[in-house]
Amino acid sequence: MRHGILRVKHSRFLANAWLFGVLTMHALNSSGAEELDPQEEIRQLRQQASEIMKRLEYLEAKLEARQQTPISIESPVESVDSMSIESATETLATGVVDVAGEKTTQEGDGLLELKALDTELTVGGRLTLDAFQMWPDTPLRRTYEAPLDGSGKNGQFNSHLRETRLWIKSRTPTRFGILRALVETDFAGTPGNEILTNSHQIRLRHAYFQLDGLTVGQTWSAFQLNETADVIVDPTIMGFIRQPQIRWSSHGGWLSYDVSVENPETTLTDPWGRQVLPSDDRWPDLVGRIRHQADWGSATMALMLRDIRQDKTTLSNGLQLDNTDSKLSWSTSGSALIKTWNKDDIRLGYVYGSGLGRYVAANTFSDATINTRGEIDLQTSWGAYAAYRHWWSPEWRSTVLYSMAATDNNPRTPGTANKRVGSWQANLFWMPIEDALFGLEYMRYRRDLENGSQGGFDMIYFRALYNF
């Protein structure tokens, strides 16, 4: 069965285990004690068996009633964003497999029911093979370091399965609603070598629980763009922020909202052009977001406030500052999915802010600059993307996308600092069966430095994945 691992009807299992335990204990007790009269022993065994059968009938009746009677708390209006356990912007039911790999996994059908009668445990995952060629060669997770024109190697073929995922989810009815929990990992941690085993360390992606409108744990930031493009390599604009948070969500028919308190992290560029992480954050990042779902598509908008702070931090040259400084940062983001005809759609997104920093373009720009006197100066950054997805047939589809991000570097910022990045992408996906997908994508990436220098790369990327 799809996504299935194991299912146990544990009422009968527990009863059988109970019967086995009783008989075993009885045998052990009898072996070391004086032998009972056969009639008395038969009477005791019949009494115990009668109690076990009554318990078994009770548990089976309770389970049957639960299966036949809908639980009203089991169908709340789910968030349409990618962090919801029970829903995702792209679902297999609509014939779309999560290609880019940055959404929480789809709901599985396999259940492993443990101990408590009302708890269901689902185990599943995704096998993903990636193969790509880049010229010139560039660290894939640090594209903002793409070689400048005229430099870099001619490129190298790479392949791995680091995006393979494993997840465990649970569902437990409570008087407040369904309590859901998720732990999801992949193997994109510290890479292994390619000499023998190609082993890679496991990495935590998501770990959180949800109860009614409350979400507690690590998952996508509420500031993350809600409508992402159907591509393999995510758009240049994306920030990829997964972090610990406490979020409250209210789901309405026309308008929904989220308020999230999230883990902070300040990033500063020092006078030598290097990024400094003070780790002196005093207040969490605060995010508010509204979401709208309609027949024409969907749209979201978010606002974020941050405290950008340093407290006697050390610069990259070893200089120890002797002061404290902080600035209040604000940023906004928005995205939309607009249906066109048949299954085609247009997807748009933007981010803008003073001190936006790591929330755009995967940390290409810092939140602010810092001088040798320890003074913080916020810098403004922004980004946008536009994509069109076309379905050639129920099994074949393509997306064409342009994405960019830029920053207004502060005066005296070194000329080697990034000023602008952008990319064009086009792909073709084939989905021969419901849970498998094959995709081929071309990407052209460019970056501009403050001093006018340019760099970038071209890439052909192949992905094959299977959800189980």
Side-chain angles (χ1 to χ4, degrees), residues 32 197 204 218 334 343 390 398:
T197 62
L204 179 66
Q218 174 170 304
K343 295 173 64 177
H390 173 66
S398 294

Side-chain angles (χ1 to χ4, degrees), residues 423-437:
S423 64
W424 287 94
Q425 293 165 252
N427 58 42
L428 178 65
F429 295 128
W430 176 45
M431 191 173 175
I433 59 175
E434 184 180 29
D435 295 317
L437 180 138

Side-chain angles (χ1 to χ4, degrees), residues 118-133:
D118 294 328
T119 296
E120 297 174 351
L121 184 69
T122 308
V123 183
R126 189 182 81 179
L127 294 174
T128 306
L129 170 67
D130 290 324
F132 53 93
Q133 176 86 29

